[in-house]
Structures are given as structure tokens and as C-alpha cells.
Amino acid sequence: MESFRSMPKVELHAHLNGSIRNSTILELARDLGQKGVIDFLDVEHVIMKNDRSLVEVFKLFDLVHVITTEHSTITRITKEVIEDFASENVVYLELRTTPKKNDSIGMSKRSYMEAVIQGLRAVASFDVHFVPQTKQVASSFNSQFMENSLNGSAKKKIYVRLLLSIDRRETTIAALETVELALEMRDVGVVGVDLSGNPTVGEWDTFVPALSFARQKGLRVTLHCGEVPNRKEIQQMLDFVPERIGHACCFCEEDWRKLKALNVPVEICLTSNVMTQSVSSIDVHHFADLYRAQHPVALCTDDTGVFSTSLSQEYSLASSTFGIDKADIFDLAYKAISQAFADHKVKDEVRKIFSSAKGQVS
Ligand code: 6MZ
């Protein structure tokens, strides 16, 4: 496990509110319990439960969202999530979150996202790179970085890019609002949009206008696709040709043929898929076939908090289940860089980090 921890990694599918530390969520819940907003004893066992069906996972998300309503909480969990990924040597993180509107506490989708950005800025123990580099920013960052290196205080570096998620419960108008916001926030690291949420809710047609608009404006699109059986929707999603898809658990032969012909990369979430029973057991996971076929795949966590996992653990699991040695696992992580939505400059920087770490992998 330690070798997977120390190796540089790329995370492309992580939901902010699914990646909260257990200790934090319990602390926040206890606090709300004391204020009489929730019944702590009622929610404690829901939070601590280990095996959850897909239905239970979405009930848990509704609860998590009650617990994480405040702007300050959004800032705190963002900071902690970045620290957790950086401390296990994730060097490029694409973090996704659903901008939320809550008039009763004066939260707009924009103020929610501003709280997320505050969280990125609040990380002190790592160098968090999230603003796309202009020449000026690059040179001031580099001189700061050099200065730190020279006086021996160089911090570990993590590149973070953001995806704004559209929840499948949302209307066409709400989805369009999220895309507008994503466009306005490109200068603080937003690179694309995601369609997620309970896969048994909502219709593909509702989201097409917003997703097409996003694409037309140059944002990258990833879709949760085939998390439950839905032939028609899987075909419609593949016809849209997203830049990546997540999960792809319930594909039939024809869907696989189409996916492979289109060469759309797949974000693989092993633990999540097995825990939610979208895949019956790890040894029959479609990762094996895609990996053997050299289809572009990226190992991801989905929700480190909800599924009690980490990216190192997902790599370790892939290695032990499918017999992939350390060097090939390193290669798998390296190949994920090309599937990232960041620009070429960032990808080249991340490749350099991998190159300098390669010597340590035998
Ligand atoms: C589909 C998921 C998901 O956006 O509030 N989400 N959507 N399938 C999954 N697999 C288990 N895991 C998480 O993070 C939590 C939200 O991400 C989506 C759901 O919409 C969930 O409410 P944010 O930060």
C-alpha cells in the first residue's frame, strides 16, 4: 500500500461532498444536533454505515447536504479534501461539485463556488495550483517556488481543476445557470461540467441544451453513464461523444463496441461500483477488459468519504485483483494525465513530476 501512496497520482473523478472526512462530518453533525437542527443519534449510524446500496448512497448525500449548508463549511471541507488528496501524492486533482442555491441562508450558486475557491486558497501546507497560468502568475509562482526550494521549505505541489456538476434533479434552466457560472469561473480553474446525481432520476433530454452550450463554449464534458441499466440513455450519451464518462457499469456488447470505437476514456471507480452493487463483484469489473484492450481508463475514488477509500487504495486494489505490477500501475497513472481537462502546459508539468518520480519505481 505504501508504494501506491508514495507514487504520484492523478484523480479525475472525485465529488467534493462525497469526499469529506468522517471525523469532520461527525463533528458537523454533532454541532447541528446540539443546535437542534438534526437528531445526531439518528444520523450517526447512517454516516458510519459501511455497506450502502445506491439508493442508500443518495439518501446519505441528502443528509450530507443538510450538514454542509454553510459557506464556511464548504470552505472547510474543500480545504480538507485538497489536503487529503495532496498528502497521498495526488499531484493533479479534478474536483467536481454541484453549485447549490439556498435562499434561506443567502446562498447562490456563485457564492457556493466562491466558498469552494476560498477553500483552495486556505490550504497552507501544500502549493495548490488552480489559477490557469498567465505569464505573470507563472513567473511570480516560480520565483516563490524557487525561493522555497532554496531555503529547503519546498512544499508538495498539487494542481487542482474544477468541474461543476449538474444534478439530475435539476431543470434545463438550472443546468444552464450552472454552465453560465462555469464559463464565468474559467479564470479560477473551472475546466468543465459533469452530469451526476441519482441515475434513476431525470431525463437525458433535460440536460442536452446545457451540455451542448457548455461544449459550444469550449468547456469539457464528462457524464455519469450507465451506472444503472438504461439502454436508451447510454446510447444517447455515447452519441453526444463526451470527453470522458464515469462508471459505465451496465453496458451491453453494443455499448462497449460503440465506446471503444469512439475511444471515450472511462473514469473507473472500483470500490464505489462494488459497494453500490452496480457491479456484482470486483473480479468481474469491466476495468479488466478495458485495461486489456488498452482503452483509456483512469482509476478514481468517486467519494472517498462515503466509500471509505483513497486513490492509493484503489490502485492497490487494482494491482492485487488484476495482477498488475507496480511499474504497470505507474504507467496506468501516467496515462491518465492525457485524459485530464487541464491545458497542455499543466499536463506537461504533471508529466515532469511523474518523470522525476519514475526512478523510485522498480
Ligand atoms: C452519481 C454521484 C455519485 O456535488 O454535492 N454523486 N452521482 N453517482 C455517484 N456514485 C455513487 N457520487 C456522488 O457531491 C455530492 C454529489 O455528487 C453526486 C451526487 O449528486 C451527490 O449529491 P457535491 O459536492
Side-chain angles (χ1 to χ4, degrees):
M1 178 72 178
E2 183 44 42
S3 59
F4 298 109
R5 244 190 108 74
S6 58
M7 166 190 127
K9 290 173 288 297
V10 166
E11 169 63 85
L12 301 180
H13 187 134
H15 298 269
L16 174 61
N17 277 280
S19 307
I20 309 171
R21 293 175 189 163
N22 260 348
S23 54
T24 298
I25 199 91
L26 283 173
E27 182 193 321
L28 295 167
R30 203 170 285 120
D31 217 39
L32 287 183
Q34 274 160 9
K35 289 179 186 152
V37 181
I38 56 170
D39 182 338
F40 178 68
L41 291 178
D42 257 11
V43 304
E44 188 186 19
H45 76 276
V46 181
I47 295 169
M48 295 313 289
K49 194 169 187 275
N50 249 336
D51 51 333
R52 302 187 167 91
S53 66
L54 200 59
V55 173
E56 286 172 326
V57 163
F58 286 98
K59 280 194 189 139
L60 176 63
F61 280 128
D62 286 342
L63 173 63
V64 169
H65 290 145
V66 171
I67 295 171
T68 62
T69 332
E70 299 285 323
H71 289 104
S72 58
T73 306
I74 299 300
T75 297
R76 172 182 173 177
I77 62 169
T78 306
K79 174 179 176 281
E80 292 180 353
V81 167
I82 304 295
E83 288 170 345
D84 291 348
F85 277 112
S87 60
E88 62 153 335
N89 286 303
V90 169
V91 293
Y92 176 87
L93 164 66
E94 246 164 56
L95 184 64
R96 54 186 79 187
T97 192
T98 322
K100 294 165 191 79
K101 185 168 152 34
N102 183 346
D103 292 336
S104 67
I105 57 149
M107 180 181 277
S108 63
K109 286 188 173 186
R110 170 173 277 284
S111 71
Y112 173 94
M113 283 310 301
E114 280 163 358
V116 170
I117 302 297
Q118 283 285 101
L120 296 181
R121 293 193 203 282
V123 177
S125 40
F126 300 93
D127 270 320
V128 181
H129 247 232
F130 66 97
V131 175
Q133 289 184 9
T134 61
K135 273 183 190 153
Q136 200 186 350
V137 172
S139 70
S140 73
F141 171 79
N142 284 338
S143 55
Q144 180 66 52
F145 190 70
M146 286 308 290
E147 214 173 277
N148 284 341
S149 305
L150 289 173
N151 63 27
S153 64
K155 296 177 200 164
K156 269 198 245 171
K157 201 195 252 192
I158 179 167
Y159 289 89
V160 179
R161 291 295 181 270
L162 299 170
L163 304 180
L164 301 200
S165 299
I166 295 166
D167 188 312
R168 295 182 61 110
R169 288 177 292 197
E170 290 186 288
T171 61
T172 302
I173 302 283
L176 277 163
E177 264 170 32
T178 296
V179 174
E180 291 281 4
L181 182 60
L183 289 168
E184 287 165 29
M185 298 190 79
R186 281 201 271 204
D187 60 345
V188 281
V190 174
V191 286
V193 292
D194 154 55
L195 176 66
S196 55
N198 189 336
T200 62
V201 171
E203 295 291 326
W204 168 246
D205 288 346
T206 308
F207 312 110
V208 174
L211 296 169
S212 303
F213 178 56
R215 162 166 293 167
Q216 184 200 326
K217 293 287 182 185
L219 289 167
R220 318 293 295 278
V221 177
T222 179
L223 306 172
H224 280 60
C225 178
E227 216 175 350
V228 293
N230 186 340
R231 270 312 314 282
K232 188 171 163 218
E233 185 178 271
I234 292 169
Q235 288 289 316
Q236 287 171 318
M237 285 184 167
L238 292 177
D239 286 340
F240 182 80
V241 196
E243 274 79 26
R244 292 198 310 252
I245 59 167
H247 299 299
C249 301
C250 305
F251 274 32
C252 68
E253 276 313 310
E254 196 194 326
D255 303 331
W256 288 126
R257 265 197 300 278
K258 197 165 185 166
L259 176 87
K260 287 177 183 170
L262 293 167
N263 209 35
V264 174
V266 183
E267 302 151 0
I268 298 280
C269 308
L270 297 172
T271 301
S272 161
N273 295 159
V274 173
M275 272 187 140
T276 59
Q277 290 142 28
S278 298
V279 168
S280 59
S281 72
I282 183 79
D283 47 307
V284 297
H285 198 285
H286 46 285
F287 165 76
D289 173 61
L290 292 172
Y291 180 71
R292 268 194 302 270
Q294 298 188 9
H295 187 86
V297 287
L299 289 179
C300 305
T301 54
D302 206 8
D303 300 288
T304 52
V306 172
F307 300 118
S308 304
T309 189
S310 65
L311 195 53
S312 316
Q313 212 167 298
E314 295 301 302
Y315 273 95
S316 172
L317 185 60
S319 172
S320 59
T321 310
F322 306 107
I324 309 173
D325 69 22
K326 227 169 110 190
D328 286 342
I329 285 283
F330 185 92
D331 209 41
L332 180 64
Y334 182 81
K335 284 181 178 154
I337 303 169
S338 59
Q339 301 159 33
F341 290 168
D343 61 34
H344 290 294
K345 241 175 161 176
V346 170
K347 291 187 194 183
D348 286 344
E349 290 298 317
V350 176
R351 286 191 184 102
K352 278 185 209 156
I353 300 176
F354 271 73
S355 299
S356 58
K358 190 158 185 144
Q360 298 152 25
V361 180
S362 52

